[in-house]
Amino acid sequence: MSKNREFYWRRLHSLLGIIPVGLFLMVHLVVNHFATRGADAFNNASNFMESLPFLLIMEIFIIYLPLMFHAFYGIYIAFTAKNNPKNFGTLRNYLFILQRFTGIFLVVFIAWHVFETKIQTAIAGDEVNFDMMANILSNPWMFGFYIVGIVAATFHLANGIWSFLVSWGFTQSPKSQQIVTYVTLVIFLALSVVGVQALLAFR
């Protein structure tokens, strides 16, 4: 792959990780957080999302296709990219490595989550509701798997925002990159709290 082409592929990969995949993750976390208000609140929020017009088309073209490109090209990056301590320093390189590990883990987690909550329910004709999620998370191993999955997803998104801002030229100076590092870590913590609170509400 030529350097020019790879540059544009990486930019597209970074963009899709924020829009639409990152935006969808935040919406998904907000919908799940309705579980903290009780089963009826979650079911109403879930039913609203399921009742959106052209849902299948939106899922395919706004979620699944961008997500698949981001995931598979991300795996390529994870196995070919090298750390760059001279440019970004120790902390950023630890975050760089963690970004790659969480990305690989998320391929497995998201595939399982989609299979469990979309494919299985479609085959069985079941409804995605509070009781279904409570049943899934009643298994301690599955609950732990989901905790790790949520934290991995929120970190991957937050740190991905930093990468997006750098690769698209919004943050060029070392000072601006350092500031955004701390801002994105706060975003990571905030989204993690929202996600974990939702999981605990199903228990």
Side-chain angles (χ1 to χ4, degrees):
M1 186 183 295
S2 70
K3 287 185 178 179
N4 242 5
R5 186 178 299 176
E6 184 166 1
F7 172 78
Y8 289 112
W9 279 125
R10 283 175 179 263
R11 275 201 162 191
L12 178 60
H13 170 264
S14 177
L15 176 63
L16 292 178
I18 306 300
I19 305 169
V21 175
L23 290 177
F24 170 73
L25 172 61
M26 288 190 282
V27 170
H28 196 47
L29 290 173
V30 169
V31 171
N32 287 348
H33 198 261
F34 274 89
T36 61
R37 302 182 184 181
D40 289 340
F42 173 79
N43 290 339
N44 289 337
S46 179
N47 290 337
F48 171 77
M49 297 300 294
E50 292 291 328
S51 67
L52 290 174
F54 310 110
L55 179 62
L56 181 59
I57 294 174
M58 289 193 295
E59 285 181 333
I60 291 172
F61 290 100
I62 298 178
I63 301 171
Y64 295 131
L65 290 180
L67 179 60
M68 287 173 67
F69 172 82
H70 185 79
F72 293 131
Y73 193 72
I75 291 174
Y76 164 77
I77 292 174
F79 286 102
T80 58
K82 296 179 180 178
N83 297 354
N84 200 346
K86 291 182 180 178
N87 284 353
F88 296 122
T90 305
L91 173 61
R92 283 268 30 120
N93 274 280
Y94 282 131
L95 296 176
F96 177 93
I97 294 167
L98 195 53
Q99 184 78 350
R100 273 55 192 164
F101 276 117
T102 55
I104 294 168
F105 172 78
L106 284 169
V107 172
V108 177
F109 174 73
I110 292 171
W112 175 255
H113 180 58
V114 171
F115 173 75
E116 196 169 36
T117 61
K118 283 289 185 181
I119 298 174
Q120 274 192 336
T121 53
I123 293 172
D126 294 334
E127 184 182 359
V128 178
N129 57 27
F130 185 96
D131 290 339
M132 184 202 76
M133 288 305 304
N135 183 56
I136 291 172
L137 297 173
S138 64
N139 182 318
W141 292 103
M142 194 56 62
F143 180 71
F145 181 57
Y146 267 77
I147 288 284
V148 175
I150 290 294
V151 173
T154 55
F155 170 81
H156 198 79
L157 171 59
N159 195 58
I161 294 172
W162 184 92
S163 300
F164 169 80
L165 293 173
V166 172
S167 62
W168 282 79
F170 293 107
T171 52
Q172 291 296 301
S173 70
K175 183 67 175 177
S176 64
Q177 291 171 6
Q178 184 181 40
I179 291 171
V180 173
T181 294
Y182 296 124
V183 170
T184 53
L185 286 174
V186 171
I187 292 172
F188 158 60
L189 292 173
L191 291 178
S192 295
V193 168
V194 171
V196 172
Q197 280 183 338
L199 292 180
L200 291 171
F202 289 112
R203 300 278 287 176

